[in-house]
Amino acid sequence: MKRRIGVYICHCGGNISDYVDVKKVREAVKDEEGVFLAKTTVFACSDSSQKEIIADIQENNLDGIVVASCSPKLHLHTFRSVAERAGLNPYEYVQVNIREQDSWAHSDNPEKATEKAIRLIRAGIKRAIEAKPLTPNEIPVINGVAVIGGGAAGMRAAIELSDTGLNVYLIEKEHFLGGRIPQWGELFETNERGEVLIERLYKEIVKRNNIKIFTGAEVESFSGCVGNFELGVRIKPRFVKRDFNCKDYEKILKECPVEVEDEFNFGLTKRKAIYKSYEKAFPEIPAIDKENCTRCGICEKLCPESFDFNQKEEKLNLRVGAVILTTGFSPYEPKEGEFGYGKFNSVLTLQQFRRLMELSNGELSYNSKKIKNIAFIYCVGSRQKDGENKYCSRYCCTAAIHTSLLLKEKYNDIKSYHLFRDIRTYGKQEILYRDSCKNGDIYLKFDESNPPIVEKNGVDVSVKIKDILTDGEEIEIIPDLVVLVTGMIPRENGGLEKIFKVPVGRDKFFSEIHPKLRPVETVINGVYIAGTGQGPKNLTETILSSLSSVAKAYSLLSSGTLKLEPIVAIIDEEKCEWCGNCDEVCVYDAIEKKSENGKEVAVINEALCKGCGSCVPVCESRAIEIKGYTNKEILGMIDGILKEVNR
Amino acid sequence: MERVNPDFSEKIKKYGAFDISACYNCGNCTAICPLSTEDNSFPRKMVRATVLGLENKIASSLDPWLCYYCGECSDTCPRDADPGGLMMALRRYQIRKFSVGRISDLFYQGFSSFWAWFVLTLLGVLGIFFFKNNPDMKEIKPLSFVSLNVLHDGGIILFVFLLVVSFLQLLLMLKSIKLTKKDGIGIKAYLNSFLEVFFNEVLSQNKFSKCENKKRYTAHLLLLWGFIGLFLATITVMLFDFFFPANEGIRIIPKVLGLISGIPSLYGVSFFLWYRLKKADKYFRFSHHTDWIFIILIFFAILSGYLLDILRWSSAVKIYYFTFAFHLIVVFELILTFPFTKFAHVMYRPFALLLADIKK
Ligand code: SF4
Ligand code: SF4
Ligand code: SF4
Ligand code: SF4
């Protein structure tokens, strides 16, 4: 049957036509086999042109179109929809890129550019001739989302997902929810306390019966494909019953013989083997730390009804349609001796200092010394030229400045010195910076190559800085406490990046597909990232990203089914001999071996296949093709390109 | 190496109404200040030294004297830190710092200042009672009220005292500025710089003239010239009395000089008084009590001087002597406190300009 293909050559204003002689191109392609009409157009993507193309298709019964214009990245979907609106199958449309790949690249040689355009369009026409209509596969999806990490980002996401009607599994590695936020005390701008915010989120969560919380739970395995994932989860025993109701809890706390470093207070205090991360931690029942408990039995003796030492590690499988990773951050731990950390008593990290503030009432003292002068050293563990953490941790400048404002408010007679590299109190946070200056806080600036020196000075420490703002002069401060303003590193998560195959950047944070346009999606379809596990953020930004990951998950799962891109690999079972070559090269694990009519062949999981094409060339039996890029299409395109162009 | 001293900026705060801790080191003040050069970031260097409390740096800086408070830095400062106001405050601080025996302290602390002026006035009044003769009540004869000898000897004593104290204080300034050998100290350098400073700065107030506000500049210039005229008039009266006691006619010269010089002085001082009262301009938003006392004393000294000249032609004998006594007391106070109050800028500023010129 003779084909009726319409070809449109776009000027793109002058972006194309200034270098490519579009008239000549039209002349050269209009009589190609299968071409019914060929036109030039000033802006193919404009409304009027779209209408014209639709009219052409309908009036002339065109059975395929080729638009030679910009990159398909820009307008593939525009013209696919034009085809669709005119009654064609969208895959009967072929886009030829003569802008990025031609006119812009060869603006120095219009003649050759014109020739190249002709060849590319001929290739496009050949492809259009061979193109087959394709229809997206629709698969049902599971109504359920696993949120991994029960900090602020995860909790917020859970609530919002639940409100969209999706079932939520909130999986937290620790025995308590809340993550880092309750450790912080007052948060800037509202001065609300972290644990109060967490309490609000928790109360919302328990109101909803489609959220299931798992604490002490870690993901071990992950399989399946977008819309139909399977997670293997391992849950540590808590040894405390759900209906924990023990009047002697206080007494148990006293008598439990095991004391370990309290990670909630960053080692400033000790806790027992039975503990709550903080008094009002959620869930409200305590937990027994399996690793450190000696099974002495004191607790059980006092409240036999509340404990159950027979609890075993549990394993369960969850089936979900999407996953959100909200694994959070840990503060950077300075190296031994870094700015005197670990060497001098009076050197703490900002996070430890915030705990110290929380733990002290009335007067602020450390090691029984009253604190009057504090030197904050900024960018510790961030923005390292030679170290691993090249990034700015974003929140620490503001956090340190906010801390100094709180100090002024609470103790008044405390003097803060800020030894900074640059102050990055972007946005509204600038106001905190101004207020701190007005309070009389003193700012001194150093360069990374000339960091402040923390030394012993009698009983105290002295901090010496070559202050850039005072002509590089060396200035000395004798503080009672040195606070290292440490940045963020991704929180230890038991290797989730390997389990989920979600790539991490050089900075070890999860990486998104595109930092601006697709900030919460990962290369694994259906797996989203949010919060500080993706990179440093303050709480506002964390919640923003958490909510946008919810929006993505919801739009994926809301209709109950999923349309899959039809451009995937297809196996010719006759030819396939199962050599396994394709399986080896497929990074998306989309190929499986199956026995079909007594013969072992490769089968494509269409939900996982990205149509990348890696498997095609390795198949010696030529059993694999990619729909939309079949061998016929590709060979046709080569013919089109090679055909002589008359000058 | 210097140690940070946050208490210092608290101390300086008492000398002015600036908000220097708000400074975030943007450097706009330096960019706009006409006095700023590549190696002297004016006035930010002083701002920074104040914030950190680097007292040595401030005590050894000439900058506060070079600034005319044109206020452009303060206008440009995005944080409203008022660096210009700080420079004025640092002047006040340095006046105290350089004063022998810390006498200036008396005049710069609100409370003691009140008592100092009270005691001085009392001394003046007692002095008048003690030294006054029985004046001629029929005809106005100034010298019958206080004898020439008393005026003459008193004047000389006062003068010697001022000379010694001022000299000592300038030495103190010189010492804390720390001129180094390489600054080319030598008679010739001094002389050159002296001429340069005297004509280009003192007489014409060149730097001041660069300020945007010309009214303030004119008033200051007129006040200065008027003062020089009055000073010369006083000197000539004394000299004539000494050398030509009998020659009445020659006295017309200082008389006329005095009358003429009084006019610009009166204009100048009234301008400052009025502007400060009305807070009419950004420069006058803040007035330290030492500013007030200085202006008020000058105002009354000149006003009463004029009044004397007018009354001389009248027959209001009592009023005349009364005014005369008043004039003497005010002038006595003004002159006696010269090295310790704002008045001292008359010697510090030219001297600082001189030193700056030599340093350069
Ligand atoms: S936010 Fe501030 S302290 Fe933190 S890394 Fe960035 S510049 Fe440094
Ligand atoms: S096209 Fe790519 S993703 Fe699909 S099966 Fe082949 S190698 Fe795997
Ligand atoms: S007031 Fe004028 S001269 Fe003084 S520091 Fe500011 S800009 Fe410079
Ligand atoms: S303009 Fe204001 S904020 Fe900027 S450096 Fe000068 S005093 Fe500081």
Side-chain angles (χ1 to χ4, degrees):
Chain A
M1 189 188 79
K2 193 157 171 1
R3 297 293 306 264
R4 300 165 72 84
I5 290 170
V7 180
Y8 298 85
I9 301 147
C10 183
H11 291 234
C12 192
N15 277 300
I16 295 171
S17 56
D18 283 354
Y19 314 104
V20 171
D21 182 346
V22 288
K23 282 221 183 72
K24 191 170 165 197
V25 173
R26 195 191 88 88
E27 284 306 313
V29 303
K30 75 177 202 307
D31 297 322
E32 284 298 305
E33 186 204 327
V35 173
F36 181 81
L37 60 82
K39 290 182 170 177
T40 62
T41 158
V42 179
F43 287 109
C45 56
S46 70
D47 245 13
S48 56
S49 295
Q50 291 190 28
K51 282 193 186 124
E52 189 187 331
I53 298 174
I54 292 177
D56 281 350
I57 296 171
Q58 288 169 341
E59 281 160 24
N60 304 307
N61 280 325
L62 299 184
D63 57 7
I65 48 170
V66 174
V67 177
S69 56
C70 49
S71 158
K73 281 215 158 170
L74 200 62
H75 277 315
L76 181 72
H77 290 285
T78 315
F79 296 117
R80 271 191 186 167
S81 116
V82 167
E84 200 167 15
R85 277 180 283 153
L88 288 181
N89 180 286
Y91 294 87
E92 288 173 316
Y93 158 69
V94 171
Q95 182 148 356
V96 177
N97 181 355
I98 57 167
R99 193 177 76 179
E100 284 83 346
Q101 288 179 1
D102 190 14
S103 68
W104 282 356
H106 308 296
S107 53
D108 56 332
N109 195 340
E111 202 178 307
K112 287 274 183 193
T114 304
E115 183 185 326
K116 183 172 175 184
I118 295 170
R119 291 179 187 273
L120 288 171
I121 295 171
R122 283 180 179 159
I125 295 166
K126 291 281 188 198
R127 185 171 164 217
I129 291 174
E130 299 299 342
K132 296 273 168 311
L134 299 175
T135 32
N137 248 347
E138 255 183 61
I139 55 163
V141 292
I142 297 169
N143 170 338
V145 180
V147 178
I148 297 166
M155 293 173 87
R156 188 70 188 85
I159 295 168
E160 210 59 34
L161 286 166
S162 141
D163 287 350
T164 66
L166 291 167
N167 296 320
V168 185
Y169 306 97
L170 183 57
I171 299 171
E172 169 55 51
K173 183 163 65 96
E174 304 294 325
H175 283 301
F176 302 93
L177 293 176
R180 297 281 175 206
I181 292 299
Q183 289 176 298
W184 202 257
E186 282 100 335
L187 300 161
F188 95 92
E189 283 145 293
T190 56
N191 277 354
E192 264 170 304
R193 302 181 54 78
E195 72 249 31
V196 175
L197 295 185
I198 293 302
E199 183 177 349
R200 262 162 56 186
L201 292 176
Y202 186 75
K203 294 216 158 122
E204 286 301 316
I205 287 179
V206 291
K207 269 192 217 159
R208 291 163 170 75
N209 48 24
N210 57 351
I211 304 179
K212 264 192 87 62
I213 302 172
F214 300 98
T215 54
E218 280 185 79
V219 175
E220 278 184 322
S221 65
F222 173 71
S223 59
C225 60
V226 56
N228 295 279
F229 292 122
E230 200 168 311
L231 293 179
V233 180
R234 182 184 60 222
I235 302 174
K236 273 192 284 189
R238 196 183 188 102
F239 300 143
V240 173
K241 285 193 189 158
R242 257 171 222 282
D243 51 359
F244 176 84
N245 184 5
C246 172
K247 293 204 184 63
D248 287 324
Y249 180 53
E250 291 296 316
K251 198 166 166 210
I252 292 177
L253 275 186
K254 266 196 214 104
E255 292 187 8
C256 172
V258 179
E259 270 204 342
V260 293
E261 205 164 78
D262 186 351
E263 50 289 84
F264 189 80
N265 288 330
F266 296 104
L268 290 184
T269 57
K270 302 256 181 249
R271 67 158 169 81
K272 294 299 174 78
I274 175 166
Y275 72 106
K276 282 183 177 180
S277 60
Y278 58 103
E279 208 187 320
K280 292 191 77 184
F282 300 104
E284 284 156 294
I285 51 172
I288 290 176
D289 157 4
K290 178 170 160 258
E291 279 75 39
N292 292 301
C293 166
T294 56
R295 312 280 141 66
C296 70
I298 290 178
C299 46
E300 211 180 7
K301 236 171 269 154
L302 283 166
C303 284
E305 294 303 300
S306 292
F307 297 94
D308 176 5
F309 279 99
N310 291 324
Q311 281 179 8
K312 291 270 154 347
E313 188 174 271
E314 249 180 89
K315 300 221 178 196
L316 50 101
N317 281 333
L318 298 176
R319 288 173 42 77
V320 294
V323 175
I324 300 178
L325 299 174
T326 51
T327 49
F329 78 99
S330 281
Y332 167 82
E333 166 100 22
K335 305 211 167 55
E336 178 78 23
E338 191 174 355
F339 297 110
Y341 184 76
K343 210 161 122 198
F344 304 126
N345 263 338
S346 46
V347 180
L348 295 179
T349 65
L350 178 61
Q351 292 78 11
Q352 287 176 317
F353 180 62
R354 290 301 294 244
R355 290 316 304 157
L356 182 69
M357 282 172 74
E358 291 299 317
L359 294 169
S360 43
N361 39 19
E363 126 173 335
L364 189 65
S365 57
Y366 185 57
N367 290 332
S368 59
K369 182 176 174 200
K370 190 157 187 263
I371 294 164
K372 294 220 135 167
N373 293 291
I374 301 181
F376 292 93
I377 300 180
Y378 284 54
C379 293
V380 178
S382 303
R383 306 173 68 205
Q384 302 167 324
K385 204 160 102 218
D386 301 319
E388 282 180 1
N389 308 342
K390 310 263 181 243
Y391 51 87
C392 161
S393 291
R394 273 174 85 85
Y395 93 112
C396 17
C397 278
T398 308
I401 289 174
H402 181 238
T403 303
S404 78
L405 288 177
L406 286 177
L407 285 171
K408 203 54 168 207
E409 209 178 290
K410 289 188 176 163
Y411 306 103
N412 193 37
D413 58 343
I414 288 185
K415 192 89 198 167
S416 300
Y417 300 87
H418 303 262
L419 284 61
F420 69 100
R421 284 173 58 195
D422 292 291
I423 293 292
R424 297 184 168 175
T425 44
Y426 55 97
K428 293 181 190 170
Q429 304 167 55
E430 177 72 5
I431 295 169
L432 300 178
Y433 176 34
R434 190 203 55 199
D435 290 349
S436 136
C437 289
K438 293 233 172 202
N439 270 347
D441 284 9
I442 293 183
Y443 284 81
L444 303 109
K445 181 177 166 103
F446 67 94
D447 188 81
E448 195 193 2
S449 56
N450 238 334
I453 294 168
V454 182
E455 295 174 326
K456 191 117 213 105
N457 176 6
V459 277
D460 299 312
V461 290
S462 97
V463 183
K464 293 191 182 121
I465 174 175
K466 294 226 164 69
D467 179 28
I468 294 179
L469 300 174
T470 316
D471 271 345
E473 234 170 273
E474 181 155 283
I475 309 274
E476 187 182 33
I477 303 161
I478 308 288
D480 303 310
L481 207 61
V482 177
V483 173
L484 305 183
V485 181
T486 45
M488 289 184 176
I489 55 171
R491 190 166 185 161
E492 213 290 303
N493 62 26
L496 287 184
E497 74 276 7
K498 294 216 183 70
I499 294 173
F500 285 98
K501 296 215 171 73
V502 169
V504 293
R506 249 198 300 191
D507 50 25
K508 304 201 179 72
F509 289 101
F510 287 130
S511 19
E512 60 287 304
I513 291 188
H514 189 285
K516 290 186 166 52
L517 301 177
R518 302 175 72 180
V520 297
E521 291 161 80
T522 68
V523 291
I524 306 298
N525 230 341
V527 177
Y528 306 105
I529 48 180
T532 49
Q534 179 194 17
K537 288 180 187 65
N538 66 27
L539 184 55
T540 312
E541 294 154 355
T542 290
I543 300 296
L544 278 171
S545 69
S546 147
L547 292 178
S548 57
S549 69
V550 168
K552 286 309 293 179
Y554 176 65
S555 71
L556 178 77
L557 304 177
S558 58
S559 71
T561 59
L562 203 60
K563 277 195 181 150
L564 297 178
E565 179 63 55
I567 300 185
V568 290
I570 174 169
I571 306 269
D572 183 338
E573 282 167 16
E574 304 272 281
K575 291 187 186 161
C576 176
E577 306 283 344
W578 182 256
C579 62
N581 283 356
C582 53
D583 185 30
E584 237 162 73
V585 294
C586 178
V587 288
Y588 300 99
D589 278 344
I591 300 180
E592 274 164 59
K593 178 163 72 174
K594 263 207 182 132
S595 281
E596 204 98 341
N597 309 326
K599 185 184 174 201
E600 285 194 328
V601 290
V603 184
I604 305 293
N605 182 336
E606 295 197 349
L608 287 179
C609 174
K610 298 260 178 193
C612 73
S614 304
C615 51
V616 177
V618 300
C619 178
E620 285 169 14
S621 330
R622 299 228 174 166
I624 313 186
E625 284 197 290
I626 305 291
K627 290 191 207 163
Y629 292 90
T630 56
N631 291 345
K632 270 192 180 163
E633 283 170 76
I634 302 289
L635 289 171
M637 286 170 80
I638 294 172
D639 286 343
I641 283 184
L642 291 181
K643 187 177 165 192
E644 211 40 56
V645 174
N646 299 329
R647 297 203 174 228
Chain B
M1 185 180 56
E2 294 215 52
R3 191 171 285 185
V4 187
N5 173 16
D7 300 334
F8 181 74
S9 62
E10 287 303 313
K11 202 159 94 189
I12 292 291
K13 256 180 206 153
K14 296 198 195 93
Y15 295 102
F18 51 86
D19 185 12
I20 216 65
S21 48
C23 165
Y24 62 1
N25 301 294
C26 67
N28 278 340
C29 49
T30 294
I32 196 96
C33 175
L35 299 180
S36 187
T37 58
E38 230 168 76
D39 34 44
N40 189 7
S41 63
F42 211 107
R44 206 186 68 79
K45 207 159 138 193
M46 286 294 105
V47 172
R48 193 64 191 155
T50 309
V51 168
L52 297 184
L54 310 180
E55 202 164 350
N56 287 335
K57 208 170 227 189
I58 289 172
S60 67
S61 173
L62 292 171
D63 292 2
W65 297 104
L66 307 185
C67 160
Y68 280 90
Y69 196 20
C70 66
E72 293 191 24
C73 51
S74 299
D75 286 351
T76 337
C77 173
R79 279 281 182 92
D80 282 334
D82 193 6
L86 171 74
M87 294 305 261
M88 293 300 103
L90 291 181
R91 261 172 59 167
R92 296 178 191 121
Y93 162 79
Q94 284 201 348
I95 288 181
R96 275 184 76 169
K97 190 86 191 169
F98 299 149
S99 136
V100 279
R102 314 232 42 155
I103 299 177
S104 273
D105 288 7
L106 286 178
F107 297 99
Y108 274 84
Q109 279 155 358
F111 194 65
S112 71
S113 163
F114 171 79
W115 286 110
W117 289 108
F118 182 78
V119 168
L120 270 185
T121 317
L122 207 68
L123 270 181
V125 173
L126 287 177
I128 294 286
F129 272 107
F130 190 76
F131 288 111
K132 92 172 166 44
N133 298 332
N134 281 332
D136 190 332
M137 294 308 275
K138 282 191 225 86
E139 194 192 342
I140 295 178
K141 279 196 182 146
L143 291 181
S144 70
F145 180 66
V146 182
S147 78
L148 182 63
N149 283 343
V150 169
L151 285 183
H152 181 253
D153 296 349
I156 295 218
I157 294 172
L158 218 54
F159 241 78
V160 171
F161 170 76
L162 286 189
L163 232 70
V164 173
V165 171
S166 304
F167 182 71
L168 283 176
Q169 295 197 165
L170 290 181
L171 272 184
L172 276 175
M173 180 176 194
L174 188 65
K175 202 176 130 227
S176 65
I177 296 311
K178 298 194 195 97
L179 279 193
T180 51
K181 277 264 163 15
K182 69 170 192 317
D183 291 328
I185 323 165
I187 297 293
K188 223 172 137 209
Y190 267 94
L191 203 68
N192 272 344
S193 293
F194 178 77
L195 292 178
E196 162 86 17
V197 165
F198 188 72
F199 287 105
N200 260 345
E201 293 300 338
V202 178
L203 286 191
S204 61
Q205 308 258 295
N206 245 345
K207 285 211 172 97
F208 205 154
S209 73
K210 295 209 183 92
C211 291
E212 232 175 275
N213 188 316
K214 295 289 178 239
K215 271 198 234 152
R216 208 173 126 247
Y217 160 71
T218 321
H220 194 259
L221 193 72
L222 288 176
L223 184 56
L224 174 89
W225 281 354
F227 241 82
I228 293 175
L230 289 174
F231 181 72
L232 288 179
T234 316
I235 297 274
T236 24
V237 169
M238 293 221 178
L239 288 180
F240 286 177
D241 276 342
F242 194 72
F243 290 112
F244 319 102
N247 194 336
E248 283 286 329
I250 201 169
R251 284 181 197 201
I252 194 78
I253 298 175
K255 187 104 276 172
V256 170
L257 184 61
L259 273 176
I260 295 176
S261 309
I263 296 170
S265 314
L266 200 59
Y267 167 77
V269 74
S270 313
F271 173 91
F272 285 115
L273 196 59
W274 181 245
Y275 270 60
R276 279 203 191 270
L277 267 176
K278 301 284 286 182
K279 298 192 193 247
D281 213 324
K282 61 184 180 199
Y283 314 101
F284 305 112
R285 262 187 311 233
F286 172 80
S287 300
H288 197 249
H289 66 86
T290 52
D291 296 325
W292 280 123
I293 291 170
F294 178 52
I295 293 190
I296 290 172
L297 282 180
I298 291 186
F299 179 73
F300 280 124
I302 298 173
L303 195 71
S304 55
Y306 255 111
L307 208 59
L308 285 180
D309 279 328
I310 296 164
L311 287 174
R312 191 69 193 268
W313 311 110
S314 74
S315 51
V317 188
K318 254 198 177 146
I319 300 183
Y320 181 88
Y321 289 129
F322 199 77
T323 313
F324 191 35
F326 179 80
H327 182 72
L328 284 177
I329 295 172
V330 172
V331 171
F332 159 77
E333 286 187 314
L334 200 57
I335 296 180
L336 183 67
T337 58
F338 166 81
F340 314 116
T341 57
K342 185 174 184 179
F343 208 173
H345 81 274
V346 171
M347 67 176 182
Y348 285 132
R349 186 186 330 249
F351 192 59
L353 286 166
L354 181 75
L355 292 179
D357 199 76
I358 292 170
K359 262 180 167 283
K360 167 180 89 189

